[in-house]
Amino acid sequence: MRFTTITSPHSDRPNSVRKTMLLVILALMPGAAAMIWFFGWGILINMLLASVTAVACEALAMRLRKRPVLPVVGDFSAVLTALLFAVAVPPLLPWWLTVLGVAFAILMVKQIYGGLGYNPFNPAMAAYVLLLVSYPVQMTSWLPPAMLNEYPLTFLQSASVIFTGALPDGLDWDTLTMATPLDAMFTQLDQSRMLSEILTQPLWGDFGGRGWEWAGNWFLLGGLFLLYKRVISWHIPVSMLGSLLVIAMLFHFLDQEAYPFGMFHIFTGGTLLGAFFIATDPVSACTTRKGQLLYGASIGLLVFIIRTWGGYPDAVAFAVLLMNMAAPTIDYYTQPRAFGHPGAGRD
């Protein structure tokens, strides 16, 4: 019998890195399309710019390391990192910040540790936090959702703002942009306004910020597709969303005017994107089943704590990075028992 490879394994793996990355990118598309629909062409421009930058940086790193370029670039992991970063940042982010963030993600968070499979932190979220801490004004200047936007920009106007900083005639940044729903919610709660009063404002929909909640629905659909294709397991997203929902409902029950209800936390900000596409990163997340449950639940708890009492309302990136640091320790203490030992097979 003739095999395609001389040494074992002689059969192709059912899920190659390339196939897995392409499935995740495919699953991301409905949510990305919703973001473009509600927040404008700037999201698409950021996706294209980030992807080109990521591929260029990956190729540069391979050349510097004297490794073949095409096999690494062709696995699409750099493109996935770029797309996750692009849908998380504001649609009119200046081009050089997008380039800076993606270059940091690929070169300093991924390649400096040895490339795919060796990075201890999620590259897209590390880049997001770097820019959020360093350039908070640019990183929190979001356009209003389409139903509230009085000055929607065309593709060319969006590109002009991103690449030149020139705004359309008669508009300024204060007119064009607004705070995110999470920023607006927690800023007003800090000013001792009642939750029932805040939610009467047009910014809010059925569960969360208008536009954001619908984008969340499409990210949820993409996440369910990944579960169906067994690209990810249910342990991390379910434990993350479950812990966030339970702790938010508990505090809302204790004081309904000071703590938003549980579904608000799920459908506002980047919670659903983080639960299915970021926290499940197979490189930086836990690998054991018990560890994944603890890892996901801890991210949900941290998201609530940072949103409620921290300085950055959209806390998913911080929570994921903090738990990335804890993942090796969690894996160490949650290893399944070896076959033949008492209790083996229960994990």
Side-chain angles (χ1 to χ4, degrees):
M1 182 176 181
R2 178 175 293 179
F3 297 110
T4 56
T5 57
I6 297 175
T7 59
S8 61
H10 299 292
S11 59
D12 293 333
R13 290 171 297 179
N15 289 316
S16 64
V17 172
R18 175 189 174 92
K19 180 180 178 182
T20 299
M21 295 298 166
L22 287 174
L23 283 173
V24 178
I25 291 173
L26 178 63
L28 186 66
M29 288 301 105
M35 293 292 289
I36 296 170
W37 176 266
F38 286 109
F39 298 101
W41 292 108
I43 298 288
L44 177 61
I45 295 171
N46 285 345
M47 292 169 65
L48 297 174
L49 177 60
S51 297
V52 171
T53 304
V55 171
C57 290
E58 191 99 301
L60 173 64
M62 289 299 99
R63 293 296 298 269
L64 293 175
R65 297 174 61 191
K66 303 184 187 309
R67 301 282 182 85
V69 173
L70 289 181
V72 176
V73 172
D75 66 17
F76 289 98
S77 60
V79 174
L80 177 59
T81 296
L83 295 177
L84 290 172
F85 175 82
V87 298
V89 298
L92 297 182
L93 190 70
W95 69 270
W96 57 274
L97 282 181
T98 300
V99 172
L100 174 64
V102 175
F104 176 78
I106 300 299
L107 297 177
M108 301 304 294
V109 184
K110 180 182 177 184
Q111 289 297 337
I112 202 170
Y113 289 100
L116 182 65
Y118 298 95
N119 49 288
F121 301 101
N122 183 286
M125 291 300 95
Y128 178 87
V129 168
L130 169 73
L131 295 188
L132 183 61
V133 173
S134 305
Y135 305 94
V137 175
Q138 293 88 340
M139 286 292 288
T140 54
S141 297
W142 275 83
L143 294 176
M147 60 284 285
L148 301 178
N149 193 350
E150 299 179 7
Y151 308 101
L153 301 181
T154 65
F155 182 88
L156 291 179
Q157 287 175 324
S158 299
S160 176
V161 175
I162 290 171
F163 288 102
T164 70
L167 298 175
D169 292 340
L171 296 180
D172 55 31
W173 281 106
D174 291 336
T175 306
L176 202 59
T177 61
M178 61 177 291
T180 66
L182 284 171
D183 268 324
M185 169 65 76
F186 290 103
T187 298
Q188 293 182 66
L189 286 175
D190 286 341
Q191 296 169 349
S192 301
R193 300 191 68 180
M194 297 292 102
L195 187 62
S196 56
E197 180 185 3
I198 297 171
L199 292 177
T200 59
Q201 299 169 358
L203 182 62
W204 310 104
D206 295 324
F207 296 114
R210 299 183 72 179
W212 295 90
E213 56 186 2
W214 276 104
N217 284 332
W218 290 105
F219 283 126
L220 173 61
L221 181 65
L224 295 177
F225 171 75
L226 293 179
L227 289 174
Y228 171 72
K229 299 296 289 186
R230 298 188 177 182
V231 175
I232 62 174
S233 72
W234 61 268
H235 300 77
I236 292 177
V238 170
S239 58
M240 175 184 163
L241 297 176
S243 69
L244 177 58
L245 186 64
V246 168
I247 192 71
M249 289 175 61
L250 174 63
F251 274 84
H252 182 67
F253 175 76
L254 295 175
D255 189 344
Q256 298 185 6
E257 291 292 349
Y259 298 98
F261 45 92
M263 298 305 285
F264 168 85
H265 285 275
I266 301 296
F267 285 94
T268 306
T271 305
L272 288 166
L273 173 67
F276 289 100
F277 292 92
I278 295 171
T280 53
D281 178 5
V283 178
S284 56
C286 287
T287 56
T288 66
R289 295 307 187 205
K290 286 182 180 176
Q292 289 176 344
L293 290 172
L294 180 59
Y295 174 85
S298 300
I299 291 177
L301 177 62
L302 285 172
V303 168
F304 180 81
I305 292 173
I306 298 173
R307 277 183 180 176
T308 306
W309 298 291
Y312 295 96
D314 197 359
V316 174
F318 291 96
V320 169
L321 293 180
L322 287 171
M323 291 312 300
N324 284 167
M325 288 192 291
T329 303
I330 295 174
D331 272 343
Y332 178 82
Y333 285 105
T334 56
Q335 289 293 322
R337 300 296 299 271
F339 181 75
H341 284 258
R346 297 177 184 172
D347 295 295

